[in-house]
Every structure is written in C-alpha cells, then in structure tokens.
Amino acid sequence: MSESTGRPLGRRTFVLGGAAAAGTVALAGPPATSASAAGFGWSDDGSHYVVDTGANLVFKVSKTNGDLTSLVYRGTEYQGYGGKNSHVESGLGTSTVTIAQSGPTILVSVTYGTLKHYYAARSGENNIYLWTNKADSSVTATRYIVRVRAGLFLNDEPDSYTYAPTVVESADIFRKSDGQTRAKHYSRLRVMDYDYIGWTTGSVGLWIVRSNHEKASGGPFYRSLLRHQSADGGGLYEILYYGENQTEAERFGLQGPYVIAFTDGGAPSSALYPGTLTTSWADSLGISGYVPASGRGRVAGVGITGRDTAYAYTVGLANSAAQYWGSARSSDGWFSVAGVLPGTYTLTVFKGELAVHTSSVTVTAGATTTLNTLAIPASNDPSNASAIWRINNWDGTPGGFKNAELMTYAHPSDVRASSWTGNVVVGSGTETSSFPCYLWKDVNSGIVVYFKLTAAQAAAAHTLRIGVTTAYANGRPQVVVNDTWTSAVPSAPAQPGTRSLTVGSYRGNNHTFTYSVPASAWLTDTSAYNTLKIYVASGSGTTSFLSAGTSVDAIDLLA
C-alpha cells in the first residue's frame, strides 16, 4: 500500500538483508541441454538421501520423515536453527521416503498417510523444486518452512523479527523497549504483491519462490506470515493453507511447484515466478495430483467497461477446488488468466479489493475461453451513488484512513500509530486521514463525525452507509444521530472467527451496512453541525484491541 494514499500498490518483491546487487542473478532456469553438470547425482549415507545438483548446492533429505536436514551452498551450511529442520508444517512423523533419477532430474518422494511431498533437483541448478499434496484433513499440513541458521543474513526488514522482551498478545506479538511491535504475521504483502521472499547479503541470496496458490485459499488479497527472524535464526514460508482471518474453506490437492532458490545475491530468475515457470520436465515424474500444461486452460477477456480508472482492477476465478487471478490492463480492462484447471468458476471483477461484478465461466483443458467485454453496472460500484458527503472512496480496503498503512505491519498498540480517537469534521479536508481505519468497542467506540446540511437536505430522510472489510468478534457499527435517533443493532455478517485487526490483516468479507435515518433526526439550523456517533456493538471479544472491532472501507450519506 502506498504510504501517501494508503492504497494497495502493484506487485512487489520482498527482500530481507542487504540490498540486492542489480544484475547479479546466478540462475536462469533449466540449462539449454540435458547434459548433466559435473557432480550431479545422489547418494545414500544410511540416514539421508544426499543430492548434489552439480552446481553449488548439496542438500540432504531424511529417510525417516522427509525433513530437509542440510542445505549447503558454496560450502556453507544454511539449514537449521534451534535444532529444527526444514519441513512440511512442524515436521511429519515416520514416512516412506524414496528417491529416483530420470535423466537430469532427481525426485525425492515422501509419503505420510494420505499426504505426499516431493523435492526435485535439476542438473546444474541451485534450486530445489517442491510440491505438497494434501489429499484430505487427516493430516495437518498448512505450510513448508525453510529454517535458516542465525548470523547468515542481516535483518533489514525488521517488522517480523520475533525476538523482543515484552509479549503483547498470544505469545506471538512482541514489543521492543522503544514501543515498536514485532510479529511473524507482519508481512505487509498480499499474495498478489510478491513472487518471492527471502534474504540476500549482496553475494548470496536465499529465496522461496511461491507457487501459483491454486489450491490455497483466500484469493489474491490474502495476507499471511511469510518470513520471520529471531535471535536464533530465521524462517521462510510457503503457506499451503492459513486459517488466520480466512474467508474460504481449505482446498485439497497438489500445491506447487514452489522453489527454494540460491543466487549469487540477485533476485531469483524470473523464469521461476508463478505463471512463468515451465515444468514440462516434471510431466512424467509420477507426482500425485500433477496436471501438465496440456491439461489446463485459459480465460481471456477483451475488456472491462464501467471502471474507475483511478483504481487497479483484478479478475479472480474461484470454485471449491481451485483459485486463480490476473490483473486487468489499465487502458481497457483486457485480462488473461492461464494455467487453469478444467471446471466451472465464479469470475469476480474487483475494483481495488471490492467485488463489483460476478459471472460464471467454464474452462476446458487445452482451450482458451474468450469473454466479450464485461460491463460493470454503475449500481455495482457504491462510489457512483450521489452522496451529500463521503469519507473515503469505496474500494474494499481501509486505505487512506488513519493508521491504515501501518496496520499491515504493526500492532494497533504500536508507538508509531496515531491516536485511535479524535473527532472528524466533514468538509475540513482531513476527514479521511483523521478517521481511524479500525473501530473497537473498548478503544474508540463512539467516534463522532460532524457535518452540516442545507435546509432542503435536512427536510428529507437519507440513507447512511458504512462499508466494512472484516470484523473481529462480530463487531459491527450502531449509529446515533444528534443524540436523538439511534439505529437498531444490525445483524453480524459472516466474517472470519480468528484474529485479524491485530495480525496485519483487514481482508475479510466486504459488507455494507445501511441505516435509514428519518428527517426528524436532522438539525433544522443549517449553521449548526449535525453529529453522527459510530459505536461498535457486540457481546463478544475481550478488552482493548481484542474487543469486538471492525475495519472500515468508506462512510457516506446519500442524497
């Protein structure tokens, strides 16, 4: 999100450690020929399969449980902190682990109950390709974590540094002595904002390149933990399913490939990025659930009309089995989403993060489904409604409101946060920046908005709208106008049941609350300010920033 506007930016990469050395990329995808690099091969030391990529990378996989127990690049061991290995979730139990070589590819296969996990190495590459197939809920497997020894990389992006003296919340959010907060949750990034995450010294880079997340959940705007550092080392994550502030059910099936990539300090090769990576070499490896490019289809749209060109638009595809997304071209709304598994999907067009169009589309293997121009009806974008006043614009995010940018990488109690209280005056020019992005029952419930009406406006009833992006503990707004008219407590919409506002995420289910305010509620003195008090109603939650709360998208009074 932009610090100046609070609006989400486009795709970003995320780097921890020293600045990346421009142009110093050590790998560029598979070699041009299938000839094996010198030293390429594998051995069995009794406890591990030892794989040498024939470049500068040697790694070991436990024959007992499939853990990655050693990760040696250019003679330096990178694996391990706190006595822990790199592995699926927090490690699998006793598993069946096998290895096979097919020309320039070595595949290690791990089976643990119904879960299957794979490591692949290619001759001459400093990469490890990983797939994880979680077939059902019988195994808890929601992530792969690469655990990296302490002292190898600097921590130039400190928000996820998890070692600090004071626990703020749930033993996973901490406060430093200077009042700044730290947590592994604080990534700043939505899934669509990054292709890879990792660290670099300037001469060595260690990265995880994410998968396309087709079997993950939450859509393109979902945020989850990506990396963390502590006094005893660091972790890089590929999240297969994350329950925190999750809006969708878990999807099952093969996820990947995601890639552990070493470089000489630069970014990982763009040939490894989601949507770019070609793995035809894996087509015949027998990976459970693997679907080659020939078994996938594509959706392409010639354009989208009715857009507000001040905003980025995203097109998402989702059903119970898979999810995909792509950006719409700013000039005309053209879009293309490739590599889609066959099936019927709900297609959603998002203005920012606000759904403004939905339809159905069917994808066929080996074919492109071409869509005519999608027209967004004016009524689907709440910004098009005529308003007497509006605080913020409708885009499905709290961007632009006070503290909105900070809340993607800090706890609300952080010393860097501006006061969560304070009144708001419509027409002041600061009504958006002075309105808090989040409201809590125990923190700032009852915030006051001051506004004036003309005589004609005061003589009529009006609809007040408050848009929210998520809620914690069923927090929802109840309003009081001029201390004389009080709305009913609205029903709580479906929202995630976990923490959200304190762990760097405002992304839940967008919902608009409407209140029909009678003319009798307004002041007839046109020189006087009307008051709107917004309270948070809920019997749930605890205290302070874990009391019932909600994130705000926009507020307006319709003409």
Side-chain angles (χ1 to χ4, degrees), residues 453-513:
L453 297 176
T454 66
Q457 292 166 344
H462 297 285
T463 296
L464 174 75
R465 303 188 299 184
I466 300 178
V468 303
T469 70
T470 194
Y472 176 69
N474 289 326
R476 65 269 198 196
Q478 181 181 27
V479 300
V480 176
V481 176
N482 291 321
D483 293 324
T484 60
W485 182 85
T486 302
S487 73
V489 176
S491 299
Q495 295 289 4
T498 63
R499 288 180 299 167
S500 53
L501 308 181
T502 59
V503 292
S505 177
Y506 58 77
R507 175 77 274 123
N509 294 311
N510 287 101
H511 181 81
T512 301
F513 294 95

Side-chain angles (χ1 to χ4, degrees), residues 306-308 311-315 326-328 349-352 356 376 381:
R307 294 173 298 119
D308 181 340
Y311 291 87
Y313 282 72
T314 302
V315 177
S327 298
V349 178
F350 298 92
K351 169 197 172 186
V356 292
I376 301 173
D381 184 347

Side-chain angles (χ1 to χ4, degrees), residues 64-86:
T64 300
N65 57 19
D67 282 6
L68 188 66
T69 62
S70 178
L71 196 59
V72 176
Y73 178 67
R74 296 188 184 274
T76 298
E77 177 66 76
Y78 285 84
Q79 155 58 40
Y81 69 79
K84 298 179 180 179
N85 297 323
S86 299

Side-chain angles (χ1 to χ4, degrees), residues 483-552:
D483 293 324
T484 60
W485 182 85
T486 302
S487 73
V489 176
S491 299
Q495 295 289 4
T498 63
R499 288 180 299 167
S500 53
L501 308 181
T502 59
V503 292
S505 177
Y506 58 77
R507 175 77 274 123
N509 294 311
N510 287 101
H511 181 81
T512 301
F513 294 95
T514 60
Y515 310 84
S516 299
V517 185
S520 59
W522 311 124
L523 299 180
T524 57
D525 182 353
T526 58
S527 65
Y529 280 101
N530 290 267
T531 60
L532 168 68
K533 295 181 180 179
I534 305 174
Y535 294 90
V536 177
S538 176
S540 303
T542 56
T543 60
S544 189
F545 297 108
L546 288 179
S547 62
T550 191
S551 170
V552 183

Side-chain angles (χ1 to χ4, degrees), residues 229-410:
Q229 280 187 278
S230 63
D232 58 354
L236 300 177
Y237 296 83
E238 166 72 348
I239 297 296
L240 308 177
Y241 176 78
Y242 197 53
E244 200 105 68
N245 207 33
Q246 181 58 256
T247 59
E248 294 184 299
E250 184 173 9
R251 294 181 171 94
F252 298 109
L254 184 69
Q255 301 219 49
Y258 48 104
V259 187
I260 301 171
F262 280 93
T263 72
D264 63 0
S269 169
S270 59
L272 301 176
Y273 295 176
T276 304
L277 179 60
T278 300
T279 56
S280 55
W281 50 266
D283 290 0
S284 60
L285 295 180
I287 294 173
S288 174
Y290 183 90
V291 179
S294 60
R296 297 170 177 271
R298 174 173 169 261
V299 176
V302 299
I304 303 172
T305 60
R307 294 173 298 119
D308 181 340
T309 56
Y311 291 87
Y313 282 72
T314 302
V315 177
L317 305 176
N319 61 21
S320 62
Q323 61 170 10
Y324 307 89
W325 58 83
S327 298
R329 191 162 61 192
S330 59
S331 60
D332 56 9
W334 176 91
F335 62 90
S336 176
V337 183
V340 180
L341 293 172
T344 298
Y345 295 84
T346 297
L347 181 151
T348 304
V349 178
F350 298 92
K351 169 197 172 186
E353 297 183 17
L354 183 67
V356 292
H357 171 86
T358 59
S359 57
S360 180
V361 62
T362 298
V363 178
T364 304
T368 295
T369 301
T370 302
L371 303 177
N372 294 324
T373 299
L374 302 178
I376 301 173
S379 59
N380 283 16
D381 184 347
S383 296
N384 290 326
S386 178
I388 296 171
W389 53 260
R390 177 170 291 137
I391 304 176
N392 218 357
N393 202 359
W394 296 80
D395 72 346
T397 83
F401 282 132
K402 182 166 61 175
N403 293 326
E405 168 69 9
L406 180 66
M407 287 303 96
T408 63
Y409 61 92

